[in-house]
Amino acid sequence: MATAHKNIDRSIRDQIQYVHSTVESFGSQPENIAAFDVVCALEIVEHVSDLNTFLKGCRTLLKPNGSLFVSTLNRTTKSYMQAILLTEKVFRWLPEGTHNWEKFLSPVELEEVLNQNELSVVDVTGFVFSPLKQSWTAERDDSMNYIVHATHRTPESLEQQQQHTE
């Protein structure tokens, strides 16, 4: 599907390369260390076995001050009801067991882990899916899904930040 999608637009076809790898393995290759301005980890952190290792791998890929975007499910009663009970058990849109509610993270918990991995949160935005409209909307409500924008802190970037505030 992804290959078919990139072939639709000839102007980008040769500029896109798909790689099947873990972020840890991909980030261990010298040419990929600090090689990216932006890394997106969307709807995946609630499925990884070692969140710290995963986020460290994402950070390794980022250039200094690069941006990491992480979207995930908040650990709330609402997310349990919608993501597990309705989506998996009632409507069966996803196989039962796809999500483990205990692996869902609140925005505060995710920020703590990001900080431990030299990543500073810039913004947290909730988003809500409308089944009737079949669309997502950015909201202040982060009780179900949310996305975090964080940047890679380096000693140099922290020094630059201090100089700007003085």
Side-chain angles (χ1 to χ4, degrees):
M1 177 84 131
T3 302
H5 182 258
K6 85 172 186 176
N7 287 331
I8 292 172
D9 186 343
R10 292 176 186 249
S11 68
I12 63 168
R13 179 177 39 207
D14 297 331
Q15 298 173 25
I16 297 175
Q17 176 186 6
Y18 294 108
V19 178
H20 183 236
S21 175
T22 64
V23 70
E24 299 87 355
S25 176
F26 188 71
S28 69
Q29 299 169 21
E31 67 272 15
N32 296 328
I33 296 171
F36 297 91
D37 294 311
V38 176
V39 171
C40 296
L42 307 176
E43 301 304 312
I44 191 168
V45 297
E46 67 272 16
H47 301 286
V48 300
S49 58
D50 184 343
L51 184 59
N52 269 312
T53 300
F54 177 81
L55 291 174
K56 182 179 178 183
C58 291
R59 186 207 65 227
T60 299
L61 298 171
L62 287 172
K63 292 178 181 177
N65 297 315
S67 290
L68 173 65
F69 291 91
V70 179
S71 67
T72 191
L73 291 154
N74 199 343
R75 191 175 54 248
T76 61
T77 303
K78 180 179 179 179
S79 70
Y80 179 81
M81 299 286 288
Q82 290 184 9
I84 296 175
L85 289 181
L86 289 175
T87 304
E88 293 182 21
K89 297 178 187 283
V90 175
F91 297 123
R92 300 187 188 274
W93 290 336
L94 293 173
E96 195 166 333
T98 296
H99 294 104
N100 177 348
W101 188 73
E102 292 173 7
K103 287 189 144 190
F104 293 6
L105 297 165
S106 72
V108 170
E109 292 168 325
L110 182 56
E111 183 171 4
E112 288 174 8
V113 182
L114 289 165
N115 282 327
Q116 292 167 10
N117 285 283
E118 300 172 11
L119 294 156
S120 297
V121 172
V122 176
D123 185 50
V124 178
T125 302
F127 55 99
V128 177
F129 181 70
S130 169
L132 296 175
K133 295 179 182 176
Q134 291 291 299
S135 65
W136 292 92
T137 306
E139 301 276 343
R140 291 179 146 239
D141 178 7
D142 62 10
S143 64
M144 180 68 191
N145 296 78
Y146 64 96
I147 189 164
V148 172
H149 172 209
T151 57
H152 179 198
R153 289 190 321 257
T154 63
E156 298 81 21
S157 67
L158 291 172
E159 187 176 307
Q160 288 173 351
Q161 196 174 39
Q162 287 175 344
Q163 289 173 355
H164 288 295
T165 58
E166 293 176 353

